[in-house]
Amino acid sequence: MINFGIIGTNWITQQYIDAAHATGEWKLTAVYSRNLEKAYSFGEKNGATKFYDQIEDLINDKNVDAVYIASPNSLHFAQAKQVIEADKVAVVEKPMVANPTEWEQLDEALEKHPQALLFEAARHIHEDNFRAIRNQVGQMKLIQGATLTYAKYSSRYDSYLEGHEPNIFSLNFAGGALQDLGVYLAYDAVCWFGMPEEVAYFAQKIRTGVDGKGIAILRYPEFDVTLNIGKNINSELSSEIYGVKDSIVMDNAAELNRVEYIDEEGNRRLISDDPESNPMIAEARDFARVIQDPDNHINRKDYQNWLDLSRNVNKLLYNLRQNGKIYFTNEKEED
């Protein structure tokens, strides 16, 4: 059993706790919140027995094996580094860090602390339907491009419209559409097609300086991939991967609830399965497999592949931000 603590008490933390418990391989032990009363109220209903308002106390708790980090984006790096330096497992909600400099520093920390492990909680890459798409792409004669969409109105945008600056729409907290929903599409592109040769990001910035929505173009040697991202709109557009006469159609490039392959004759074949009731179960199960048997050669290979993929996605997101002239607070262009 993996005893874990949490940093962050929002809805996504609750979803991860539910998924982790559903696997039967995780047990919530400790909760951190700046407000100790909130740590108690959130933790007790989920079975936690220890509650902290100092992060160091959570990380140094000898009964905590792993820490799930779901704080604002800008805090991920420092908190993950603390967990690694305590020789523990860090599960960091996407995006793990803001730029390649931070990513490399975490990699250096892992080298110094070989007992520690680091996972980016990019949930959909662990799902069967994601792998089904990757397998189908590999079987297609020729790829001629793709259009991937994930645009979902954020409830925090209402607060922005009232004149406030929520974390997810703030440069101070490394927010914006690309850093949030765009992570899913970046993982799609890198995993299914590899790293692009050139990128462009046409960001539609809002008052706070972040991108409320935007269009990214990823240029590969023989085709382009378009990413359509938004947190201040809703879109019901499907996503597609184009072959010659065949194609793959997804209901949503991040949710992947229904995926069809359309062959050259126009015949449709469902290549997706019914998704789990909780979309985080697959990642929680995969992380547990590696944590509990890190020396297994398959687990080592999977773990390294996930780290490499995370590094490339981080680089892609950073390059897109640079092209779109989006710089987070205290971040230099050369970071």
Side-chain angles (χ1 to χ4, degrees):
M1 185 67 67
I2 303 165
N3 294 322
F4 75 107
I6 58 170
I7 298 174
T9 54
N10 51 36
W11 70 268
I12 200 166
T13 310
Q14 184 64 61
Q15 190 172 58
Y16 187 83
I17 292 169
D18 292 342
H21 285 169
T23 69
E25 298 175 288
W26 300 75
K27 180 181 179 182
L28 181 65
T29 301
V31 176
Y32 161 80
S33 174
R34 289 175 299 174
N35 184 317
L36 193 58
E37 183 178 342
K38 189 173 184 180
Y40 271 96
S41 63
F42 186 88
E44 285 182 330
K45 68 180 181 180
N46 287 295
T49 56
K50 295 187 177 182
F51 313 94
Y52 300 108
D53 58 5
Q54 298 295 320
I55 288 180
E56 293 77 10
D57 293 337
L58 169 69
I59 293 173
N60 294 324
D61 188 327
K62 294 181 180 179
N63 293 317
V64 171
D65 306 312
V67 179
Y68 172 75
I69 300 171
S71 52
N73 294 347
S74 61
L75 305 180
H76 289 179
F77 165 68
Q79 293 170 352
K81 191 167 183 285
Q82 284 181 277
V83 174
I84 292 169
E85 290 174 344
D87 295 312
K88 296 188 177 184
V89 176
V91 178
V92 189
E93 200 40 71
K94 54 81 192 161
M96 188 160 64
V97 292
N99 55 59
T101 298
E102 293 181 346
W103 208 104
E104 292 304 325
Q105 289 184 42
L106 291 188
D107 196 35
E108 291 172 5
L110 287 172
E111 290 183 7
K112 295 177 182 177
H113 298 271
Q115 294 182 359
L117 295 171
L118 175 65
F119 301 94
E120 183 169 21
R123 57 160 182 78
H124 70 314
I125 70 170
H126 299 274
E127 297 174 355
D128 289 340
N129 291 347
F130 186 92
R131 286 190 288 269
I133 295 171
R134 183 178 60 192
N135 292 338
Q136 190 64 58
V137 167
Q139 296 173 28
M140 294 168 72
K141 295 178 182 178
L142 181 68
I143 300 299
Q144 298 197 91
T147 302
L148 307 175
T149 295
Y150 194 24
K152 187 176 181 181
Y153 188 91
S154 169
S155 60
R156 301 295 178 88
Y157 197 66
D158 291 340
S159 176
Y160 163 82
L161 292 175
E162 293 171 355
H164 305 295
E165 187 170 313
N167 294 345
I168 197 61
F169 291 114
S170 172
L171 292 174
N172 295 328
F173 291 96
L178 183 65
Q179 287 294 111
D180 187 38
L181 302 187
V183 179
Y184 294 98
L185 305 188
Y187 264 100
D188 290 346
V190 172
C191 191
W192 296 338
F193 313 118
M195 287 292 283
E197 294 185 340
E198 299 178 52
V199 302
Y201 187 46
F202 303 95
Q204 294 192 16
K205 297 181 183 179
I206 60 176
R207 165 178 44 84
T208 61
V210 304
D211 51 325
K213 59 189 177 77
I215 300 291
I217 306 295
L218 313 183
R219 176 139 288 184
Y220 292 84
E222 297 179 348
F223 59 86
D224 292 340
V225 173
T226 301
L227 311 182
N228 180 24
I229 310 154
K231 283 190 68 66
N232 57 359
I233 59 170
N234 282 318
S235 175
E236 298 298 326
L237 286 175
S238 59
S239 294
E240 297 179 301
I241 299 172
Y242 315 114
V244 181
K245 294 182 179 179
D246 56 344
S247 61
I248 299 172
V249 180
M250 297 154 258
D251 63 334
N252 182 293
E255 304 299 339
L256 304 178
N257 292 318
R258 182 179 177 84
V259 184
E260 290 184 309
Y261 173 66
I262 305 175
D263 66 20
E264 296 180 357
E265 304 299 324
N267 301 308
R268 293 176 173 265
R269 174 168 57 89
L270 190 68
I271 62 172
S272 58
D273 294 323
D274 291 336
E276 299 268 15
S277 57
N278 184 322
M280 290 183 163
I281 288 177
E283 67 174 355
R285 188 183 296 120
D286 273 354
F287 298 160
R289 168 169 57 85
V290 173
I291 293 168
Q292 293 172 331
D293 191 5
D295 295 326
N296 178 282
H297 73 281
I298 294 176
N299 292 346
R300 286 201 309 270
K301 181 179 179 181
D302 285 344
Y303 176 65
Q304 189 59 54
N305 286 341
W306 297 334
L307 281 180
D308 292 342
L309 186 55
S310 174
R311 184 198 308 271
N312 285 333
V313 167
N314 176 263
K315 182 179 179 180
L316 173 57
L317 293 173
Y318 179 71
N319 289 342
L320 286 168
R321 277 202 300 113
Q322 294 293 294
N323 183 268
K325 302 187 183 306
I326 300 171
Y327 310 115
F328 298 141
T329 303
N330 299 323
E331 182 184 58
K332 296 179 181 179
E333 185 172 351
E334 66 269 22
D335 279 349

